[in-house]
Amino acid sequence: MEKSSRLTVKVRGTGQALTSVPKVGVSACLLGDPVRYDGGHKRSVLLTEQLATCICWRSFCPEVAAGFGVPRPTIGLYPDGAVTRLQINPGQSDEQDASADLRPKLIQASEPFLSEAVSLDGYVFMQRSPSCALGSAPAQGLSSATEQDALNGVFAEELIRRRALLPVAQEIDLQRPRILDQFLGAVFAHCRLREAFETKSFSALLDFHGRYKYQLMAHSVPAYNYLGRLLATYNKDDFSSQQATYYQVFMKALNASPSKGGEINALMHMMGYIKTQLSAEQRRHLLQRMEDYRHGILPLQTIVCELQNYTECWGSDYIRRQYYWQPHPLSQSLRAQLS
């Protein structure tokens, strides 16, 4: 379980340098830009203060880009059979046609940003927004609650359609330590993988894979096994295709939260590298710690810290360089809240 519903974050260095900081898109109102329909904002302390030291934010407001103005009439999502229309909510403006579907205009105005989204490593959306929500925008015009009463915003849906494996989240969900830890892990992995791909070097991809071996195992053993076989069949004449396959399988795994069993499995495999140096009592102690974590008694970071201390003493460079120890700058603080 999570130790507390209140998020506590301390930013620490990774000890493993990136040549660039992850670039993450964000709804502009969350950074304090006065772009909401009423001229206000929804500034997030988490994003603007706690994460700003380790992420390069790329802010965007699709409604402003579409020329809807600030302030502006409120808009909503109106299910209409197989389609959902983006319309001005009734009773606000005599000058604009409330029945007009604004979806095409918003997507067209967002095209320059969407076309550059290939350089992003993630996106944080504003909840309940008809343009930016992830499954939380209210459906308007319904006489009763249905399975469609919470929808994706128009811009969010279009971005996900084009970048299905991009790490994405709503700001409100990132207030939960487990979700924030998983999201940041995926964002930093995406950035490192993007940099490896940019070298167009198979050796760079091998190095990336080697350092992410146990982080990947914690998320998905099938993905871990598949990608190991993929890299073992390297073909320089088909490297671009192999890169595409690697990206799809790797990011699908990292975009899902690891189970406790997955974390323990990875920890046990890493412990295997120093098992001959550990005493029988030390091995029993670590295994009991893992069981305590499984049953919600002990936070994950306690085990990670103890095992890492042992590997610093006796482990090889290979195991000491695993990104699992600290996949992102906040992992120590967040894992201390996960039990």
Side-chain angles (χ1 to χ4, degrees), residues 8-12 50 329-334 337:
T8 303
V9 171
K10 294 180 180 179
V11 180
R12 305 176 184 182
Q50 296 169 323
L330 280 64
S331 60
Q332 295 177 18
S333 176
L334 291 173
Q337 300 171 67

Side-chain angles (χ1 to χ4, degrees), residues 69-142:
V70 180
R72 57 182 174 272
T74 61
I75 56 178
L77 297 172
Y78 291 78
D80 182 12
V83 300
T84 299
R85 299 168 63 84
L86 180 67
Q87 298 177 197
I88 294 174
N89 293 323
Q92 298 184 87
S93 175
D94 296 330
E95 299 178 359
Q96 301 183 56
D97 181 5
S99 66
D101 185 3
L102 302 175
R103 174 187 290 265
K105 183 176 182 181
L106 187 140
I107 292 176
Q108 182 179 13
S110 302
E111 186 60 42
F113 186 91
L114 288 167
S115 65
E116 295 177 0
V118 66
S119 66
L120 295 180
D121 298 304
Y123 207 102
V124 179
F125 294 104
M126 177 62 199
Q127 58 273 7
R128 295 183 61 81
S129 163
S131 58
C132 294
L134 287 178
S136 67
Q140 307 293 337
L142 299 177

Side-chain angles (χ1 to χ4, degrees), residues 225-241:
N225 291 331
Y226 179 87
L227 292 178
R229 292 192 299 269
L230 177 70
L231 294 180
T233 59
Y234 167 64
N235 182 348
K236 67 178 181 180
D237 296 325
D238 195 31
F239 185 42
S240 61
S241 176

Side-chain angles (χ1 to χ4, degrees), residues 16 28 35 37 39 45 72 109 139 155 157 160 194 202 220 230 277 282 300 306 310 315 330:
Q16 298 162 331
V35 295
Y37 71 94
V45 172
R72 57 182 174 272
F155 170 75
E157 188 169 79
I160 293 169
R194 175 173 54 79
F202 180 66
S220 172
L230 177 70
Q277 285 80 23
Q282 287 170 329
L300 176 61
E306 288 189 21
Y310 287 131
L330 280 64

Side-chain angles (χ1 to χ4, degrees), residues 163-200:
R163 299 290 313 280
L165 295 171
L166 187 72
V168 296
Q170 293 186 133
E171 190 276 344
I172 193 171
D173 297 323
L174 295 182
Q175 298 296 331
R176 297 171 59 186
R178 192 172 298 277
I179 294 178
L180 179 57
D181 181 57
Q182 181 276 318
F183 176 73
L184 290 176
V187 163
F188 274 79
H190 190 282
C191 182
R192 293 179 176 119
L193 181 56
R194 175 173 54 79
E195 290 184 345
F197 283 167
E198 286 171 355
T199 68
K200 302 184 185 301

Side-chain angles (χ1 to χ4, degrees), residues 294-316:
R294 189 193 303 274
H295 295 290
I297 299 171
L298 199 68
L300 176 61
Q301 182 57 26
T302 299
I303 312 157
V304 172
C305 184
E306 288 189 21
L307 185 56
Q308 186 178 18
N309 286 339
Y310 287 131
T311 59
E312 287 296 325
C313 292
W314 300 313
S316 63

Side-chain angles (χ1 to χ4, degrees), residues 1 178 259-268 286-300 303 338-339:
M1 66 179 194
R178 192 172 298 277
S259 66
K260 285 189 175 183
E263 298 274 19
I264 292 170
N265 182 46
L267 288 165
M268 290 181 69
L286 284 171
L287 292 173
Q288 183 58 54
R289 292 289 217 182
M290 293 179 199
E291 285 304 303
D292 288 344
Y293 166 64
R294 189 193 303 274
H295 295 290
I297 299 171
L298 199 68
L300 176 61
I303 312 157
L338 305 181
S339 59

